[in-house]
Amino acid sequence: MRAVVFDEPGRPLRLTEIPDPEAGRGEAVLRVQACGICGSDLHATLPDGIARRGGILGHEAAGVIERLGPDPIGDWSIGDRVFAVSWLTCGECGWCRLGQNHRCEQIAYFGALGDDQPDGAYAERLLVRTNDLLAVPDGVSLDLAALVEPLVTGLMLVREAELSIGSRVLVMGGGPIGLAAVLWARFFGARRVVMSEIVNHRLQLGERLGATDTIDAAAVDDLKAEVVSVLGQPPDAVIECVGRPGMLSEAIDIVRQFGTVVAGGVCMQPDAIDHLSAYFKEPTVRFPASYTKDENAFVLEMIAAGRIDPTPMLSHQVSLEDLPSAFEGLRAPTDQCKVIVVP
């Protein structure tokens, strides 16, 4: 099959041919129909990243079951349209039996360092565990199903923010995760949702996905003063989705006294925080890392029911042949939002 491989930092991904995967006990082989390019994959390929040399990235996958191994976990058939939760779990430990796959004792990550880590979905086929699959409802395209991972990440961030009806929220950063956080913050009752971003195209997307106000962070000298001017007071919660040094400290400075800051952007470098400012502010700061399988299912159900429409996030489709150049292009995005690989 065709697959796109990561060789080493500083080199573009490479299209090649590799053997098809074989489904073992409790496993399935999917024919990949759509896979999103995630910012974490870009980070993983940096010199200090976690991508495995010679491995295949891609963890936002939707497709069709092509082969089933013996003893599948769940009622699955060849041809079923499915979304694969973005990790590989055993399906047999106590956590998996409780439906808390994100706590699996043998959890593995697509394309990550280590010879025991699985290959991902930048390929024509993907080997998965059947306990990590969710059926894609009728009427939901597989392109939209591939958006579940960034959507559920945004849902996780909003869950950790513990918003109340009428909350005032600042979302810093308008990439796919920030946009998803905007969508869910409004969905769960925030009265005002401000999104700050430096790319004009993403500011427009923020408005389409529910932001009540947007701020061009590149055009203001003092983001805190601008946010307070827009809201009339500091926000109850700040969801930081940029992931660069200094952003978390700025979020703490902006949030109201005793407010909540959620770190959604993963900073890949050591990051200094102004402790004195934080002591006087006394915020709750959270670093959520895991969403649940049930939250993934909830996102699919909300798309199917028409309760949310993430379609504006879909900006580009690329083939496996075009993936290496598209991947590099996302390191300095312009009009891209969520780019979907269609093998």
Side-chain angles (χ1 to χ4, degrees):
M1 70 174 182
R2 294 180 306 153
V4 173
V5 172
F6 168 69
D7 288 315
E8 62 182 5
R11 292 181 60 184
L13 304 182
R14 174 175 54 89
L15 180 65
T16 188
E17 290 275 346
I18 64 171
D20 284 356
E22 296 294 332
R25 177 176 171 272
E27 295 177 336
V29 173
L30 306 187
R31 181 81 179 187
V32 178
Q33 299 293 303
C35 178
I37 301 177
C38 182
S40 65
D41 285 345
L42 296 169
H43 293 156
T45 58
L46 295 175
D48 57 351
I50 64 169
R52 185 177 73 256
R53 287 159 175 76
I56 302 169
L57 294 163
H59 58 270
E60 300 180 355
V64 175
I65 295 178
E66 194 171 76
R67 293 192 288 274
L68 276 170
D71 303 321
I73 300 172
D75 184 17
W76 300 111
S77 300
I78 303 299
D80 284 349
R81 300 182 333 128
V82 295
F83 167 75
V85 178
S86 63
W87 46 62
L88 210 67
T89 63
C90 71
E92 298 175 349
C93 70
W95 289 118
C96 285
R97 291 180 183 277
L98 286 172
Q100 298 189 38
N101 303 45
H102 60 293
R103 295 178 175 174
C104 174
E105 297 170 4
Q106 301 179 49
I107 196 166
Y109 300 95
F110 294 113
L113 289 171
D115 293 337
D116 58 342
Q117 300 299 295
D119 280 327
Y122 292 165
E124 292 180 310
R125 294 176 179 85
L126 174 68
L127 181 66
V128 295
R129 293 283 299 174
T130 49
N131 55 291
D132 296 321
L133 297 179
L134 291 168
V136 176
D138 293 340
V140 176
S141 72
L142 292 177
D143 282 1
L144 281 184
L147 291 181
V148 168
E149 200 278 339
L151 286 167
V152 77
T153 301
L155 176 62
M156 171 188 72
L157 301 179
V158 169
R159 176 240 295 164
E160 289 297 304
E162 295 186 340
L163 304 182
S164 301
I165 302 299
S167 290
R168 294 169 174 83
V169 182
L170 168 66
V171 177
M172 300 172 71
I177 304 304
L179 291 168
V182 165
L183 183 155
W184 291 116
R186 282 294 280 167
F187 184 95
F188 286 109
R191 177 175 298 138
R192 300 287 294 276
V193 179
V194 180
M195 190 186 85
S196 63
E197 169 59 51
I198 62 174
V199 178
N200 184 63
H201 174 67
R202 291 181 170 180
L203 289 169
Q204 297 173 35
L205 288 176
E207 293 174 353
R208 293 180 65 185
L209 288 164
T212 58
D213 308 271
T214 59
I215 296 173
D216 182 351
V220 299
D221 295 325
D222 187 336
L223 180 60
K224 178 180 180 179
E226 188 70 18
V227 171
V228 172
S229 175
V230 168
L231 291 178
Q233 62 187 69
D236 303 299
V238 177
I239 302 175
E240 194 283 295
C241 297
V242 179
R244 293 179 182 170
M247 299 304 296
L248 187 61
S249 190
E250 186 173 14
I252 293 171
D253 184 50
I254 292 173
V255 77
R256 69 164 171 80
Q257 185 88 11
F258 311 120
T260 300
V261 172
V262 182
V266 180
C267 186
M268 303 301 289
Q269 307 167 47
D271 188 12
I273 293 176
D274 184 343
H275 282 233
L276 188 60
S277 174
Y279 278 126
F280 283 112
K281 188 65 67 70
E282 294 188 66
T284 296
V285 182
R286 293 188 167 132
F287 292 83
S290 297
Y291 40 72
T292 67
K293 186 177 179 182
D294 283 344
E295 286 174 322
N296 282 268
F298 173 77
V299 171
L300 277 170
E301 291 165 5
M302 292 301 98
I303 296 173
R307 296 286 305 282
I308 63 168
D309 179 14
T311 306
M313 294 171 63
L314 282 173
S315 63
H316 296 74
Q317 288 186 347
V318 299
S319 64
L320 284 175
E321 289 85 356
D322 293 333
L323 172 56
S325 60
F327 193 89
E328 292 305 310
L330 281 168
R331 298 192 191 277
T334 55
D335 62 342
Q336 308 100 320
C337 182
K338 179 50 68 173
V339 180
I340 300 292
V341 184
V342 183

